[in-house]
């Protein structure tokens, strides 16, 4: 009985905001445990019906896995019949599966799979569990087991559209295998190490899958030979007993005379004939990023004509300032240049999607451009290369072109900033006519919309939410008409813990005119009569911002949890981040050391004026990767404002980071008088002597994205200047250590000790099993 009473008192201390840490009191393990509950592992399981990820079937039906209090249900939706039912009898299937498996007992709402294939006209499902494959009827009366068969196309091969062949790389050459007979044919013969076919390497990332595009008739392959023989090397050495292992790979840097180059080609698969396109090699670039496979291995900026007679593609210059739209004859390799677009700063075709499409049937092209300060879609003539008209007039940025209906001459796309009076980062879904005369909003709610279209574009699932409002998921038709409500997220259990949402904030930028948007987090036991240290969780972009997606997410890294320890935490998207106008995005082009810091400071000062409970004399900052770069920069450039900083995996001098990042946003490396360069002002080590406050620099010793030399060069300058710095090398970690429990705890400890001025609990371990509050 006494133990039960003690446990009840402990759980009340965890769950009740009234028992949280107060001013002048030490931070305890109980405080850390309460904060830990607001990390993703603690908050995610308390939300139901939020993360709907539909899988569309060929007949326009869809299914999804849905979190419910009992576990997970599998829902099947028919847009035509307007039905929403369980995809199968989960209780009976669990019993039948337990019988078939023989070695495990399964429960109805804790089935051992998240994906399945609907087969036999929807009468059975197939899924994998470990090394076995199971087929069960949807009534749940019978399951059969078999050894899991390897997929026809693995992650290291690409299946042809007709399913008859797969293409793969062997010994740096491209091969195909007949699915039916297993017969293999070598398509190229001169591939060698660092000069192979269909290979992809951007230094900081690479793909093991062949990068290619099958023609619609499955008889041709578009690909390239990548030459990186003379590209500079990067080296890392692991930590282990005995001799360390050296990792060595091609990693070009800004200013290098040689970078990866690709020779584009077409392969006639039936005859194993290689046709090289009649143009010089292209830089290893795309309109989206620094490598050709920007979207999970999909080759960006390449399309086949419907009859496979032409290959349409875009060549991007090394500095991303020039785009050449080209059409190649698939039989001869002759290339016709249709048009070019040249910009002063950097060209970008979309947010994670190359927003262009060629329509050879009507000799037209949809092309994205920011020429009028907004990302818009334009209609071009494919023969003359001339602009026919603007498709998406008005203010606001086109983000992703999701569907083109050539028959109805309509394009479907997501965009931000088109709806006045709303957060300009909210994504909405639109339809526009090719002639630009009609643009229709299909998702009217004032929220951020995640849209997933059916394959034929007749329907779409719309899941909308805001940082402070959980998801509602609905099914709509192509006109935006509501067909059915699917899910409404339930956060009752989350709210019962005392959790509170972030507060959306709006401040003025450095210019005193431009609105900036962000989020603010306060402890659940917030007391307006107190003074709270303010911590800025920063990511400066340029490809994204500090807030990131505006969808509802209860944890948002550890910002919510950190606030619970007695801080006000903010995330603010400064000028130079994405999803707004071209001029906004280019605010610090060629001046990467800006890092949005003037906006961050301006915003923090305005918040302190508005909210007297913010203590601006105790300002901290932290971030990872680009945020780590910005954090150290903040501590060096503004040492009287920021008192405590935690810099993780920062690219502190972009001359030490992969070539494209700096060359795209800082410009090609140029040399001036007395050995100066246009990169000097962005280098953190040149400012290290200015440090006054407390700085923790953390890095992974095997970080192959931002190699640890970026941090070491700054640490060395701090040592030379006699400055005190705390260093945390994480052995054998790569780039993604920021959410590792030890790093999270060290982050909390550092701010508690140096910004709050009290000692943290000794060696608290995040993730240890603890009895939950009730």
């Amino acid at each position: 009985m006494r133990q039960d009473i003690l446990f009840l008192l402990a759980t009340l201390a965890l769950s009740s905001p009234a028992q949280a840490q107060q001013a002048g009191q030490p931070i305890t393990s109980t405080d850390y445990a309460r904060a830990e509950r607001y990390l993703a592992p603690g908050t995610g399981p308390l939300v139901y019906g939020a993360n709907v990820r539909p899988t569309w079937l060929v007949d326009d039906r869809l299914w999804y896995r849905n979190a419910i209090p009992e576990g997970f249900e599998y829902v099947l939706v028919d847009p035509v019949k307007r039905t929403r039912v369980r995809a199968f009898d989960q209780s009976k299937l669990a019993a039948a599966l337990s019988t078939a498996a023989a070695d495990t007992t399964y429960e109805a709402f804790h089935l051992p799979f998240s994906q399945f294939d609907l087969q036999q006209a929807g009468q059975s499902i197939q899924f994998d569990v470990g090394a076995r494959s199971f087929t069960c009827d949807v009534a749940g009366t019978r399951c059969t087991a078999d050894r899991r068969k390897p997929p026809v196309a693995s992650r290291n091969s690409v299946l042809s559209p007709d399913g008859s062949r797969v293409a793969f790389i062997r010994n740096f050459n491209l091969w195909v295998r007949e699915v039916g007979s297993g017969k293999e044919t070598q398509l190229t013969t001169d591939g060698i190490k660092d000069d192979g076919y269909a290979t992809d390497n951007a230094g900081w990332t690479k793909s093991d899958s062949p990068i290619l595009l099958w023609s619609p008739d499955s008889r041709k392959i578009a690909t390239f030979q990548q030459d990186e023989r003379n590209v500079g090397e990067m080296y890392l050495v692991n930590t282990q007993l005995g001799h360390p292992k050296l990792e060595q790979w091609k990693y070009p840097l800004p200013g290098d005379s040689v970078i990866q180059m690709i020779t584009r080609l077409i392969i006639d698969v039936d005859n194993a004939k290689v046709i090289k396109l009649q143009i010089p090699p292209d830089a290893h670039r795309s309109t989206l990023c620094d490598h050709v496979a920007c979207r999970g291995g999909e080759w960006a900026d390449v399309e086949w004509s419907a009859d496979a007679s032409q290959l349409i593609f875009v060549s991007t210059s090394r500095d991303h300032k020039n785009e050449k739209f080209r059409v190649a004859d698939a039989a001869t390799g002759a290339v016709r240049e249709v048009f070019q677009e040249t910009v002063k700063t950097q060209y970008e075709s979309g947010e994670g999607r190359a927003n262009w499409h060629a329509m050879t049937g009507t000799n037209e092209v949809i092309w994205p451009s920011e020429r009028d300060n907004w990302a818009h879609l334009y209609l071009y003539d494919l023969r003359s290369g001339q602009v026919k008209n603007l498709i998406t007039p008005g203010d606001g940025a086109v983000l992703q072109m999701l569907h083109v209906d050539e028959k109805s001459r309509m394009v479907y796309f997501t965009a931000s900033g088109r709806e006045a009076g709303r957060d300009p980062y909210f994504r909405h879904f639109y339809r526009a006519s090719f002639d630009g005369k009609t643009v229709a909003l299909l998702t009217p709610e004032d929220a951020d919309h995640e849209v997933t279209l059916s394959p034929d574009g007749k329907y779409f699932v719309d899941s909308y939410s805001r940082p402070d409002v959980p998801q509602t998921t609905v099914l709509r038709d192509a006109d935006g008409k509501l067909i059915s409500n699917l899910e409404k997220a339930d956060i009752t259990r989350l709210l019962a813990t005392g959790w509170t949402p972030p507060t959306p904030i709006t401040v003025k930028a450095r210019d005193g005119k431009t609105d900036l948007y962000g989020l603010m987090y306060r402890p659940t036991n917030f007391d307006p009569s107190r003074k709270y240290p303010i911590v800025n969780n920063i990511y400066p972009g340029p490809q994204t911002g500090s807030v990131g997606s505006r969808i509802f997410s209860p944890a948002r890294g550890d910002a919510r949890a950190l606030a619970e320890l007695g801080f006000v935490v903010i995330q603010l998207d400064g000028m130079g981040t994405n999803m707004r106008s071209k001029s906004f995005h280019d605010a610090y082009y060629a001046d990467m050391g800006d890092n949005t810091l003037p906006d961050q400071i301006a915003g923090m000062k305005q918040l302190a004026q508005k909210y007297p409970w913010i203590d601006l004399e105790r300002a901290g900052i932290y971030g990872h990767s680009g945020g780590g770069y910005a954090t150290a920069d903040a501590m060096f450039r503004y040492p009287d404002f920021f008192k405590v900083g935690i810099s993780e995996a920062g690219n502190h001098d972009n001359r030490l980071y992969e070539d494209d990042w700096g060359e795209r946003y800082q410009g090609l490396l140029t040399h001036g008088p007395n050995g100066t360069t246009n990169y000097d002002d962005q280098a953190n080590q040149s400012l290290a002597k200015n440090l006054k406050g407390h700085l923790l620099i953390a890095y992974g010793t095997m970080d192959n994205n931002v190699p640890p030399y970026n941090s070491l060069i700054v640490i060395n300058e701090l040592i030379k200047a006699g400055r005190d710095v705390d260093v945390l090398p994480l052995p054998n970690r790569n780039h993604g250590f920021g959410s590792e429990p030890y790093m999270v705890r060290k982050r909390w400890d550092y701010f508690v000790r140096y910004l709050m001025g009290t000692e943290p609990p000794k060696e608290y371990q995040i993730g240890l099993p603890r009895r939950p509050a009730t």
Side-chain angles (χ1 to χ4, degrees):
M1 175 66 73
R2 188 171 183 273
Q3 288 180 335
D4 290 340
I5 293 173
L6 290 174
F7 171 65
L8 178 59
L9 292 174
T11 55
L12 286 174
L14 280 176
S15 60
S16 174
Q19 299 298 319
Q21 187 266 346
Q22 298 296 318
Q25 294 180 350
I27 296 289
T28 67
S29 294
T30 300
D31 298 313
Y32 267 46
R34 188 181 62 258
E36 182 184 351
R37 293 177 61 196
Y38 295 131
L39 295 172
T43 58
L46 304 181
V47 179
Y48 308 121
N51 298 311
V52 174
R53 299 288 180 265
T55 298
W56 290 95
L57 307 175
V58 294
D59 59 0
D60 277 338
R61 292 184 300 164
L62 65 107
W63 71 266
Y64 59 90
R65 183 172 180 253
N66 184 47
I68 58 176
E70 297 85 354
F72 290 95
E73 63 175 348
Y74 298 80
V75 179
L76 182 65
V77 178
D78 189 325
V80 176
K81 297 180 180 179
R82 301 193 174 207
T83 56
R84 177 197 178 280
V85 297
R86 291 264 170 86
F88 45 84
D89 189 316
Q90 294 187 208
S91 296
K92 291 182 179 179
L93 187 141
L97 180 59
S98 299
T99 300
D103 57 357
T104 307
T105 300
Y106 295 104
E107 299 177 359
F109 298 106
H110 295 89
L111 294 170
F113 56 88
S114 59
Q115 294 290 325
F116 65 84
D117 291 325
L118 205 58
Q119 299 180 336
Q120 296 180 343
Q123 298 305 303
S124 64
I125 64 169
Q126 185 276 326
F127 53 89
D128 295 331
V129 180
R132 290 184 290 182
S133 177
F134 291 88
T135 300
C136 306
D137 66 321
V138 295
T141 60
R142 183 171 182 270
C143 291
T144 59
D146 196 1
R147 295 292 299 176
R148 186 173 66 187
K149 298 178 181 178
V152 173
S154 68
R155 64 185 298 268
N156 295 320
S157 64
V158 181
L159 183 67
S160 62
D162 65 4
S164 65
R165 294 184 274 208
V166 294
F168 62 96
I169 299 172
R170 177 182 292 159
N171 296 328
F172 313 107
N173 283 291
L174 199 61
W175 294 63
V176 291
R177 181 186 301 113
E178 305 289 337
V179 172
S181 66
K183 177 185 176 182
E184 295 182 345
T185 302
Q186 186 172 356
L187 300 178
T188 66
T189 58
D190 62 337
I192 59 173
K193 184 179 183 299
D194 299 326
D195 194 22
Y197 287 88
T199 62
D200 179 44
N201 173 31
W204 70 278
T205 186
K206 62 182 179 180
S207 172
D208 294 327
S209 300
I211 308 303
L212 55 85
L213 185 66
W214 282 94
S215 62
D217 60 7
S218 300
R219 300 180 64 181
K220 301 182 185 73
I221 289 175
T223 187
F224 53 84
Q225 186 174 11
Q226 179 185 225
D227 185 359
E228 51 181 348
R229 287 170 291 180
N230 296 312
V231 173
E233 308 273 353
M234 184 58 67
Y235 309 93
L236 293 175
V237 178
N238 75 338
T239 301
Q240 63 182 32
L241 290 175
H243 297 286
K245 178 183 177 183
L246 172 68
E247 286 195 11
Q248 175 181 351
W249 75 103
K250 300 294 183 179
Y251 190 109
L253 298 172
D256 282 0
S257 60
V258 179
I259 64 170
Q260 290 97 336
M261 302 295 287
I262 60 172
T263 297
R264 299 178 184 270
L265 52 94
I266 294 169
I267 300 176
D268 179 338
V269 178
D270 292 336
N271 301 302
K273 179 182 178 182
V274 177
I275 303 145
K276 291 188 177 181
L277 301 195
Q278 298 174 25
I279 54 172
D282 274 336
H284 188 267
R285 300 284 191 265
S286 77
T287 62
L288 288 175
C289 64
D290 59 328
H291 56 128
V292 292
C294 292
R295 297 176 57 231
E298 180 180 334
W299 191 9
D301 294 325
V302 181
E303 289 185 354
W304 281 99
S305 62
D307 62 3
S309 67
Q310 300 177 87
L311 184 70
I312 302 100
F313 63 99
V314 180
S315 297
T316 299
S317 63
R318 176 171 176 171
D319 59 5
H320 285 268
K321 292 183 179 181
N322 179 261
E323 306 293 343
K324 296 180 179 179
F325 191 91
R326 293 165 158 175
V327 177
D329 186 304
T332 66
V335 175
R336 177 174 68 91
E337 190 168 301
V338 181
F339 61 85
Q340 294 188 47
E341 176 153 351
T342 301
V343 298
K344 293 181 179 179
T345 55
Q346 56 90 26
Y347 176 87
E348 186 170 64
S349 62
E351 295 292 325
R353 186 180 293 265
N355 290 328
W356 64 264
H357 175 60
M359 299 169 287
T360 53
T362 57
N363 283 305
E364 292 172 309
V365 177
I366 297 175
W367 176 253
S369 175
E370 295 177 295
R371 65 191 59 173
D372 73 347
N373 197 38
W374 294 102
H376 281 312
L377 300 178
Y378 292 81
L379 189 66
Y380 273 69
D381 188 300
L382 183 57
R383 290 164 297 196
S384 68
Q386 297 299 307
V387 178
K388 298 179 72 173
N389 60 263
L390 171 64
I391 297 175
T392 56
D395 290 350
V398 172
L399 304 177
Q400 293 191 346
M401 183 170 65
L402 298 183
H403 179 65
V404 177
D405 188 333
E406 296 184 30
K407 184 177 180 180
S408 67
R409 297 183 65 79
M410 293 285 183
V411 58
Y412 295 78
F413 62 95
T414 60
S416 59
R418 291 184 64 93
E419 306 307 313
R422 298 185 179 184
D423 186 323
Y425 295 90
F426 283 172
R427 297 166 295 171
H428 289 78
F429 188 47
Y430 300 85
R431 179 181 64 195
S433 58
F434 283 8
D435 60 13
K437 293 182 180 179
T438 61
V439 180
L441 173 64
L442 305 180
T443 53
E445 295 83 3
D446 183 5
D448 183 68
H449 294 259
E450 291 187 289
V451 170
T452 309
L453 273 75
S454 63
D456 59 10
K458 290 182 179 179
Y459 306 97
F460 65 92
V461 171
D462 173 20
S463 183
Y464 59 89
S465 64
R466 304 194 324 199
D468 54 344
V469 179
Q471 288 86 345
T472 295
T473 303
V474 300
L475 178 65
R476 304 182 193 270
D477 66 16
D479 295 323
K481 182 180 179 181
L482 179 67
I483 294 177
S484 60
N485 295 300
L486 299 181
E487 304 295 337
K488 189 173 181 62
D490 181 355
I491 63 170
T492 303
R493 289 187 63 195
L494 177 65
L495 293 173
T497 68
W499 176 92
T500 55
T503 301
I505 55 175
T506 304
V507 297
K508 295 296 181 183
R510 68 189 78 179
D511 60 8
K513 301 176 182 178
T514 306
D515 284 334
L516 301 179
Y517 298 80
L519 298 176
M520 179 172 63
Y521 307 80
R522 298 180 297 181
T524 58
N525 67 324
F526 174 73
D527 180 353
S529 67
R530 288 181 53 190
K531 281 281 194 176
Y532 292 88
I534 183 170
V535 177
N536 188 312
N537 178 205
I538 189 171
Y539 191 90
Q543 87 289 13
T544 186
S546 299
V547 176
S549 172
R550 262 57 179 179
I551 64 171
F552 178 81
S553 175
R556 290 195 169 268
D558 74 331
R560 183 67 197 80
L562 177 61
E564 191 62 14
L565 294 176
F567 300 97
V568 171
V569 180
I570 69 161
Q571 297 165 325
L572 184 65
D573 289 335
M575 296 180 70
T577 54
N578 64 337
M579 294 180 66
R580 295 181 67 174
S581 68
K582 174 67 170 171
S583 57
F584 187 94
H585 196 191
D586 286 343
Y588 66 81
Y589 176 81
D591 184 19
M592 294 186 75
D594 177 285
N595 273 314
T596 79
L597 293 172
D599 298 317
Q600 305 295 332
I601 292 173
M604 293 168 74
K605 288 181 177 178
Q606 292 167 55
L607 291 172
Q609 289 177 345
K610 183 177 181 179
Y611 302 115
W613 32 264
I614 290 178
D615 185 356
L616 211 58
E617 293 303 312
R618 292 186 290 167
I621 187 168
Y622 75 102
H624 193 91
S625 193
Y629 170 43
T631 293
D633 194 21
M635 297 296 293
F636 301 155
R637 289 186 192 268
Y638 306 98
D640 294 320
F641 185 86
F642 290 105
K643 305 303 192 301
V644 181
I646 302 171
S647 169
E648 303 168 15
N651 50 311
H652 298 285
D653 185 339
N654 287 289
R655 289 170 292 191
L656 283 174
Y657 187 45
E658 58 97 6
D659 63 322
D660 177 77
W661 188 252
E663 292 185 344
R664 179 173 188 171
Y665 297 114
Q666 185 71 16
L668 297 179
L669 182 66
T670 59
H671 295 271
N674 304 319
T676 61
T677 77
N678 60 320
Y679 275 65
D680 293 348
D681 290 343
Q682 59 81 49
N684 273 347
Q685 71 269 16
S686 64
L687 304 169
K689 62 181 180 295
N690 298 333
L691 178 65
K692 294 182 179 179
H694 293 277
L695 175 63
L696 170 62
I697 297 178
Y699 62 91
T701 65
M702 296 298 289
D703 189 337
N704 57 4
N705 182 334
V706 180
Y709 317 116
N710 280 267
S711 293
L712 293 172
I713 196 171
V714 174
I715 294 167
N716 192 48
E717 289 303 313
L718 288 165
I719 292 171
K720 288 181 181 179
R723 298 293 182 266
D724 289 330
V725 61
D726 294 300
V727 179
L728 178 60
L730 292 148
N732 298 331
R733 270 60 161 203
N734 55 26
H735 193 60
F737 63 81
S739 59
E740 184 177 324
Y742 185 80
M743 185 67 239
V744 173
R745 192 263 287 181
K746 292 295 286 186
R747 193 182 301 141
W748 295 0
D749 287 355
Y750 208 73
F751 283 131
V752 165
R753 179 175 291 118
Y754 294 117
L755 203 60
M756 188 173 287
T758 189
E759 276 301 299
K762 184 175 176 58
E763 297 179 350
Y764 181 88
Q765 293 190 55
I766 293 174
L768 287 183
R770 293 181 177 86
R771 298 184 71 176
T774 56

